[in-house]
Amino acid sequence: MLRLKSVRWLFLFSMIAIAAVGITVNQSNNSFPTQTATAQTIESDFEYLERANRAFIELVNRAKPAVVQIRTKTVVPVSNPNQFPDWFEYFFDVPRNRRDSEREAPQRRREHGGLGSGIIVSESGYILTNNHVIEDADEITVILPGGSEYDAELIGTDPGENGTDLAVLKIGGKDLPVLNFGDSDALQDGEWVIAIGAPFGLSQSVTRGTVSAQGRSNQLRGRVLYEDFIQTDTPINRGNSGGALVNIRGELVGVNTAILTGNSFQPGNVGVGFAIPSNLAKRVMNQLIGTGEVERGWLGVGIQDLTYELAKDFGLDEPRGALVTIVHDGTPAAKAGVKRGDVILEVDQTPIRNRPHLLTVVAAIDVGKEVGVKVSRRGNEQSLKITLGKRPPPDVLEALTRGKPTSFDADEKAFAGIHVQNLTAELAEKYGHEGETGVVIARIKQGSEAARQRQLRVGSLIQEIDFNEIHNVEDFTKHVESVETGAKVTMYVRYPNGGGSYVTLQNGKVPKEK
């Protein structure tokens, strides 16, 4: 019994000792309660993740209603299969009256459809999108997230080859959901962004990523003139064009425009997408709504990028700025003393990175404003004052580039917004008008009656006005000068590379609907 009691007392003292040691260890060593601390940390992390998740869901729910799907329909004339080809008419001497009857026969037409995205930017129904989404479309339909469909009016475009590839539409409706503009200049590399659009026709698709880089250029040269893109790894695919790039505050910071793809076997997204900054898009949009066209500042010089070798040759430590290759006579740059071989380093206190950046910076400055321009002339910096001019239309710029005399300051008169030029052998070959006569449409003014028709396009050949044959610019001018304001004329127009139609135009600008 005594022995049993001794064992009991020994066991009891052992338990007390173990408990005391455990308490001592817990107080002196913080590593033992790891499981409890980890559980608390995980729970706290989950709370942060859940809050971030709810924040993303909330901003998406706020932004999605203002991003719409755009559906287009384009009617393409198809050459009449019974029409005699040019070589047949030449060799077999088909009578003129028979050729005319074949030409005037009803044209076959083929319809093509397109899909894209757009952003509602005002409660009254203005919508921002890409020009290539609606280019040459005969019908434009806007589909809201709830399924409502609206016929859209084209307010104005800024085509890519001469601008930013933006367009503005207008639909009816009141108190529409709006996506407010954010400050794209405040974006930082690595910042979270969200893309909303209709890839492959799947409306209201949302993807998330980051801002990879800013000020990207030389990616779409030849397709877009003014390149100052936001690069993002946010997945963007076909149909996302014209959709929204949104920051974490639910603000519009970019208009999704283009992607780089892998190869023919991988034509979709590879993590490199481009968006037009919202500040640039807003400026273009306001001008299109206000006047139907975009006015841009202009220096009047030819420029190129610098390589490391050229930078050294022209007295710079690294490639920066834009190298002047030609100064056109009578232009703002010529009047201010800019010379060939100058490197433009700064315009209006903005350091110039490269050629595309100079184009974008100058274009964003108001016409007629005097700006400071810093140039490097063989290593010696000089400061000049230049009063910016208005960027001339493409045909005038082309004439300047080729060294042909032209009056770039003149705002030439046009009939219903159409500017024409004589058909040359070069133009005939370019647009497929060999063996024809008429005048070529060289430019169509934004917001004009001709632009609203959508049947007319640059390169089309005007061959008749009110059933009178047109052979040259003199014939064209003679017939349109006598047309009173508000009167209508009927033109026969041959399209580039085949097909044609009769078009009725009203002389004088038609007021835009508000």
Side-chain angles (χ1 to χ4, degrees):
M1 299 230 0
L2 290 173
R3 190 169 183 176
L4 181 59
K5 289 183 179 179
S6 299
V7 171
R8 288 177 177 174
W9 279 107
L10 179 63
F11 178 77
L12 180 59
F13 281 120
S14 299
M15 292 297 99
I16 294 172
I18 290 172
V21 171
I23 292 172
T24 304
V25 170
N26 283 340
Q27 289 178 345
S28 61
N29 188 345
N30 294 328
S31 64
F32 278 127
T34 303
Q35 185 175 359
T36 302
T38 302
Q40 292 174 348
T41 302
I42 291 175
E43 184 65 27
S44 177
D45 288 344
F46 273 129
E47 290 178 4
Y48 282 120
L49 289 172
E50 180 61 29
R51 278 190 299 213
N53 192 45
R54 286 199 301 268
F56 270 112
I57 292 172
E58 178 62 25
L59 80 87
V60 167
N61 288 337
R62 290 202 312 266
K64 279 176 65 175
V67 182
V68 300
Q69 185 177 14
I70 296 176
R71 186 175 64 222
T72 63
K73 182 187 294 184
T74 304
V75 179
V76 180
V78 180
S79 298
N80 192 326
N82 298 320
Q83 183 174 332
F84 294 109
D86 292 340
W87 62 267
F88 193 93
E89 295 178 1
Y90 179 80
F91 283 107
F92 293 94
D93 194 24
V94 177
R96 171 81 185 192
N97 60 348
R98 190 172 178 184
R99 281 184 284 164
D100 289 343
S101 64
E102 293 292 347
R103 174 177 292 167
E104 295 171 9
Q107 293 286 332
R108 293 193 306 161
R109 296 175 180 269
R110 181 183 298 130
E111 291 185 356
H112 292 283
L115 292 171
S117 306
I119 309 155
I120 303 176
V121 292
S122 77
E123 294 181 352
S124 59
Y126 284 108
I127 294 173
L128 189 61
T129 186
N130 283 138
N131 176 68
H132 73 259
V133 170
I134 53 83
E135 191 170 24
D136 296 331
D138 295 297
E139 296 180 14
I140 304 173
T141 303
V142 170
I143 306 169
L144 270 57
S148 302
E149 297 188 5
Y150 293 84
D151 292 332
E153 175 194 1
L154 179 60
I155 298 300
T157 65
D158 190 34
E161 64 272 14
N162 299 307
T164 57
D165 190 30
L166 288 168
V168 178
L169 309 176
K170 178 77 162 56
I171 62 173
K174 296 180 179 178
D175 301 325
L176 294 170
V178 173
L179 192 53
N180 294 322
F181 282 92
D183 183 5
S184 56
D185 290 341
L187 278 177
Q188 299 184 49
D189 294 351
E191 184 172 332
W192 278 338
V193 284
I194 291 174
I196 307 176
F200 306 109
L202 302 171
S203 63
Q204 298 296 286
S205 293
V206 179
T207 54
R208 185 172 66 190
T210 61
V211 174
S212 303
Q214 299 178 74
R216 287 298 197 205
S217 59
N218 300 326
Q219 305 299 327
L220 304 176
R221 182 168 290 182
R223 289 188 287 163
V224 178
L225 180 59
Y226 297 100
E227 299 180 291
D228 189 27
F229 293 112
I230 301 166
Q231 181 187 333
T232 177
D233 64 355
T234 306
I236 297 172
N237 288 286
R238 295 177 184 174
N240 269 116
S241 290
L245 191 70
V246 181
N247 63 16
I248 60 172
R249 289 169 291 280
E251 299 168 331
L252 179 67
V253 292
V255 180
N256 299 322
T257 297
I259 60 173
L260 289 185
T261 60
N263 49 47
S264 58
F265 299 101
Q266 190 183 20
N269 175 268
V270 292
V272 182
F274 299 100
I276 300 169
S278 59
N279 290 354
L280 175 59
K282 185 177 182 180
R283 181 179 183 277
V284 171
M285 179 195 74
N286 287 337
Q287 290 200 51
L288 290 176
I289 293 174
T291 64
E293 61 179 336
V294 182
E295 282 193 354
R296 294 185 167 94
W298 184 60
L299 290 173
V301 296
I303 52 177
Q304 72 176 75
D305 285 323
L306 288 115
T307 62
Y308 276 97
E309 291 78 9
L310 283 174
K312 183 178 179 181
D313 292 341
F314 284 88
L316 298 176
D317 54 349
E318 61 179 355
R320 56 192 175 99
L323 176 61
V324 176
T325 58
I326 187 171
V327 181
H328 299 296
D329 293 339
T331 61
K335 295 175 183 177
V338 177
K339 298 182 181 298
R340 187 184 68 194
D342 286 350
V343 179
I344 299 177
L345 301 176
E346 189 176 291
V347 175
D348 203 21
Q349 300 182 342
T350 300
I352 302 301
R353 297 191 300 267
N354 49 31
R355 174 188 177 276
H357 188 221
L358 176 62
L359 286 172
T360 303
V361 169
V362 172
I365 301 174
D366 292 338
V367 175
K369 180 180 179 181
E370 184 182 71
V371 297
V373 176
K374 184 182 292 184
V375 303
S376 173
R377 188 167 294 170
R378 294 299 177 92
N380 297 316
E381 292 189 1
Q382 299 187 24
S383 296
L384 305 173
K385 291 288 186 180
I386 301 180
T387 300
L388 297 183
K390 177 182 175 181
R391 185 176 178 85
D395 53 332
V396 177
L397 286 175
E398 184 178 0
L400 279 173
T401 303
R402 295 184 178 184
K404 296 180 180 179
T406 183
S407 177
F408 54 82
D409 288 325
D411 185 12
E412 69 230 70
K413 293 183 179 180
F415 177 79
I418 297 175
H419 298 256
V420 299
Q421 62 186 100
N422 286 321
L423 179 64
T424 63
E426 181 182 8
L427 290 174
E429 181 179 1
K430 179 179 180 180
Y431 294 115
H433 297 316
E434 292 92 340
E436 299 291 334
T437 58
V439 291
V440 177
I441 297 178
R443 182 165 65 97
I444 299 176
K445 187 175 182 179
Q446 301 280 354
S448 65
E449 168 70 0
R452 291 172 182 274
Q453 282 286 341
R454 300 181 188 169
Q455 294 173 279
L456 300 174
R457 59 202 66 169
V458 172
S460 296
L461 191 69
I462 299 175
Q463 296 189 301
E464 290 181 8
I465 297 180
D466 285 339
F467 309 105
N468 296 297
E469 291 188 2
I470 302 298
H471 297 279
N472 48 44
V473 172
E474 288 73 21
D475 289 343
F476 178 86
T477 303
K478 174 184 175 183
H479 284 89
V480 300
E481 279 186 342
S482 60
V483 180
E484 296 180 358
T485 301
K488 295 182 179 180
V489 299
T490 299
M491 296 182 178
Y492 177 78
V493 180
R494 179 184 174 89
Y495 296 119
N497 303 311
S501 65
Y502 285 95
V503 179
T504 300
L505 285 180
Q506 184 177 22
N507 186 25
K509 187 174 182 180
V510 178
K512 294 197 293 289
E513 297 179 9
K514 298 295 184 183

